[in-house]
């Protein structure tokens, strides 16, 4: 059995009909885009709690309902990395409230919040990382919208 050595939570984060992303610009590398998210920390109660914390750290934001829709796995030295990918809708955002430590390290480059249309064409027009997540998002825009727009039954 392979040990999971790194877990992270990421959000296919919708604001209306737009996908909210972080455009990364790093010295010596072409720009690329990532979904909001990051590593699960020891004091996170759950992976979903880690997602909510990351949305606040990176956007000063909050999300409502978050649904796990995909897993991306990577072989890492010593084990397996698992990215838990949630679909969620942005409820609020205040970039002045960002708290992530990465924003105080200029050597890490810039983290610009961008929005693109949530369409397969728009997703495929950028270098969204990792490629497995980009492919999943582009191929499943309708399903992701449906998951978020379907009311939860309360019996």
């Amino acid at each position: 059995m392979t040990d999971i050595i790194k877990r992270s939570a990421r959000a296919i984060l919708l604001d209306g009909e737009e996908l909210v992303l972080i455009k990364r610009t790093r010295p010596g590398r072409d720009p690329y885009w990532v979904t909001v998210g990051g590593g699960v920390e020891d004091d996170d109660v759950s992976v979903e709690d880690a997602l909510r914390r990351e949305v606040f750290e990176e956007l000063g934001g909050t999300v409502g309902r978050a649904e796990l829709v995909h897993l991306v796995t990577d072989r890492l030295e010593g084990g397996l990395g698992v990215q838990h990918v949630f679909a969620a809708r942005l409820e609020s955002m205040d970039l002045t409230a960002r708290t992530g430590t990465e924003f105080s390290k200029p050597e890490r480059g810039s983290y610009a919040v961008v929005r693109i249309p949530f369409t397969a064409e728009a997703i495929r027009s950028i270098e969204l990382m990792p490629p497995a997540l980009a492919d999943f998002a582009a191929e499943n825009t309708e399903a992701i919208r449906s998951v978020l727009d379907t009311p939860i039954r309360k019996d």
Side-chain angles (χ1 to χ4, degrees):
M1 185 167 149
T2 303
D3 288 334
I4 296 174
I5 60 166
K6 183 178 178 187
R7 292 175 35 175
S8 61
R10 307 214 69 76
I12 296 174
L13 186 58
L14 301 185
D15 187 10
E17 291 300 312
E18 295 179 312
L19 177 61
V20 179
L21 299 169
I22 306 289
K23 181 180 180 183
R24 291 295 322 275
T25 306
R26 296 170 60 181
R29 181 169 179 182
D30 288 339
Y32 62 97
W33 290 254
V34 295
T35 56
V36 174
V40 176
E41 297 177 359
D42 290 339
D43 57 346
D44 290 321
V45 175
S46 67
V47 177
E48 184 178 334
D49 285 342
L51 174 76
R52 293 176 185 283
R53 176 185 48 74
E54 287 288 341
V55 168
F56 186 78
E57 287 178 2
E58 295 183 6
L59 302 177
T62 61
V63 298
R65 176 177 166 194
E67 295 282 342
L68 182 64
V69 294
H70 191 58
L71 295 174
V72 175
T73 58
D74 300 295
R75 291 273 171 206
L76 303 173
E77 187 176 322
L80 190 65
V82 178
Q83 296 184 50
H84 302 255
V85 181
F86 291 82
R89 289 205 181 271
L90 185 65
E91 286 192 341
S92 68
M93 180 171 66
D94 177 2
L95 293 179
T96 64
R98 291 166 114 178
T99 62
T101 57
E102 61 269 30
F103 305 117
S104 62
K105 298 178 180 178
E107 68 276 8
R108 295 200 56 190
S110 67
Y111 296 77
V113 176
V114 297
R115 289 176 169 83
I116 65 168
F118 188 52
T119 64
E121 296 78 20
I123 294 167
R124 288 188 177 115
S125 73
I126 62 172
E127 187 179 352
L128 179 59
M129 301 300 287
L133 176 53
D135 291 342
F136 172 79
E139 293 169 8
N140 291 285
T141 57
E142 287 185 42
I144 291 165
R145 274 192 205 93
S146 178
V147 164
L148 291 175
D149 293 341
T150 301
I152 296 175
R153 287 184 51 187
K154 296 180 182 175
D155 295 345

